[in-house]
Amino acid sequence: MVDSQYYLPNDIGISALDCGEAFRLLSPQEKMYAHNLSRAAWYGGLAVLLQTSPESANIFVLLQRIFRKQTPAQLEQVATAAGLSSEEYQAFLVYAAGLYANMGNYKSFGDTKFIPNLPKDKLKALVWASQAFQEQPSETEALWDSCSGLLYSLEDRQKQLGLGNKGITTYFSGNCCLEDAELAQKFLDSKKLSAYNTRLFKRDNGGKACYEVRLASAVQKDCAVDGECESCCGSFSFEDKEFTVKRGDYGPLMEKVCHYLQQAQAYAANENQRKMLEEYQRSFTLGSVDAHKEGSRYWIKDKGPIVESYIGFIESYRDPFGSRGEFEGFVAVVNKAMSERFAKLVSSAEVLLPELPWPREYEKDTFLKPDFTSLDVLTFAGSGIPAGINIPNYDDIRQSEGFKNVSLGNVLAVAYATQKEKLTFLKEEDKDLFIKFKGPSFEVQVGLHELLGHGSGKLFVQNDQGKFNFDQSKVVNPETGEPVSSWYRGSETWDSKFSTIASSYEECRAECVGLYLCLNKQVLSIFGHDGQDAEDVVYVNWLSMVRAGLLGLEFYTPESKSWRQAHMQARFVILRVLLEAGEGLVGLEEVTGQDGKPDARITLDRSKIHTVGKNAIHRFLCKLQVLKSTADVDGGRALYDGYSTVSDSGAHNFLRLRETVLLRKEARKMFVQANTRVSGDSVELVEYEGSAAGLICSFTERFQDDAEQLETNLLELNKRDATCWC
């Protein structure tokens, strides 16, 4: 019997992302701009298949070929004739929808593998009975043979993403381990190259290790090409090892991205947008992160656009080393009502930042007012859709030039709608209040998390010229009372320095800022909450955080003692901090549920949030910021790893509680997104129903113009590196 965490349940929530109203309000020019950016995002997003697992791209092509010939409704009769029950056919549709929604066969949230919840011989019978097989039997059989083994395999290493023997990754060849990742990072730093758009392949050359750093680019040549003074490619000796920097990763996909970015330029609303697209195009053509940074600078200057977008190798959560970015691209339309609330929060930032618990010297010299808008997503291509984003992730730009905050309103509306019967681990009397205030409290938390969480705090840096951005003689470490003795040097960044813990640690810092500042009456009134409602929003926000900390245990792997999801690890750490605060602030007990199975109950004493709770977060948040500012990796690791530990000793048996959480978990929702289609001079929005079949149809129609060429490209890209994963 396979553990249910490796299946997607037949009744998984699947919802359509509604952006019809927002899209209809766009001008014809804005619609064309949004359409071309969406196309660029969707094609680029297919790179995630190649960034996830060795088999993802081939499974994707197999599914596309089956569903291009027969819709889910047409295939159902074939399935019945092939001996599948209606539950088994639904399980197949859910698996296909899951592969599309996650852009691979590992969950984007939690990084666990999922396999079809029907016997392998039944799935094979369905493939053989399909029209795709009837028309191209040998090709379809070869495709099935290339991926069916891994499609179902649940060997220990294949159960989750990870580096070396801890899991599967295609950011590194299969023979790489942590030491290789660390060496490559040092090499990249020495060349002032970012890891964001790279993968690392290690080969043995006569007993000597050789490393290939491959950049994502449309250009395949390694020599300097038009627009370049010199190429960063070539062979280099570093610490007695051979390193080669090459171009051309995801080449055909990057070509498509560049083509549509070029098309979009004709419909840009202003010069900033045009220059931004030019630089992005240069970045994906040449494999240049510097060009992407340049594009991001123009993007920050493009304040309050009607159509907002961002595209590139952005978030590093899924690289086991924490440096390489997964491709994502989004296009969204401003939601004016919600954006007004966020604008008020931005203008209050200067008053709110000094409320944070660290000394003034640990805050940025000047607060760079970010653009903070609420958007309705039209397109979000990649492995999953977040509720809020704070970008760019380039520290040097964020510290001195600014950033943007984005809250995705139509995602929030769907993702956090909760049914009472599915609400686990709370007291009965908390459930109605939780359902009523979950949405409003989450809106407050996302705003504070993105704007004043990720947007706050200073990194102490000594640049290559030896100049400091802080006064060494005066700045004191508030934890020790001693002068600051460590800082970032030269090209060191937060991600390169704190590597494997950087993502989760930073999410934890931002979540703590949200908890801390939501206690502020001014913040609550900005979001329209006063009196008893305001108190209820605070209570539900804190209750939601401690519940999320318990739910986070689903994303911990005891065998490798590792966390698979940055935000959930962060919330577990916060739960530990609040439990440690004592005085009855948070209660967590193991109980027996009404069904006779193990259950758990979380309680929060609302009378102690403003005292015991606030003091605990104050102390912890100050420590997090000081360790981050001073580049104290050892101290940061000791603190964060300590609170991240999941054990069966101590006041709470978290390993046993993890079993309870797995027993009662609800699968994460999937989203169905619309397509845009040019019809004559205008752009149409094509919407789909919120179901597995709707999600599948949206993907088969998304790439119908050049389906065969695209599928051939994906198979060739995958085949090129097939021998590297063994």
Side-chain angles (χ1 to χ4, degrees), residues 45 102 114 205 214 394 449 512 566 597 642 667 684-685:
N102 292 280
F114 57 94
N205 188 2
R214 198 185 298 161
Y394 305 119
H449 171 116
C512 286
K597 293 175 182 172
E684 292 174 356
L685 190 70

Side-chain angles (χ1 to χ4, degrees), residues 357 511-513 515-516 542 574 577-578 612-622:
E511 290 285 43
C512 286
V513 169
L515 284 182
Y516 192 77
W542 279 62
I574 292 169
V577 168
L578 294 176
V612 182
K614 185 177 182 182
N615 291 340
I617 294 294
H618 182 287
R619 287 191 301 274
F620 183 59
L621 188 47
C622 189

Side-chain angles (χ1 to χ4, degrees), residues 371-386:
D371 210 18
F372 199 155
T373 38
S374 176
L375 306 172
D376 285 342
V377 171
L378 168 66
T379 294
F380 205 115
S383 66
I385 311 182

Side-chain angles (χ1 to χ4, degrees), residues 217-225 231 233 247-248:
S217 71
V219 166
Q220 305 283 337
K221 294 177 186 161
D222 295 329
C223 56
V225 293
S231 167
C233 301
R247 279 200 272 233

Side-chain angles (χ1 to χ4, degrees), residues 113-114 152 221 286 511 618 646 669 682 685 706 712:
K113 187 172 187 174
F114 57 94
Y152 273 93
K221 294 177 186 161
L286 304 175
E511 290 285 43
H618 182 287
V646 177
K669 279 192 177 121
S682 61
L685 190 70
D706 60 347
T712 301

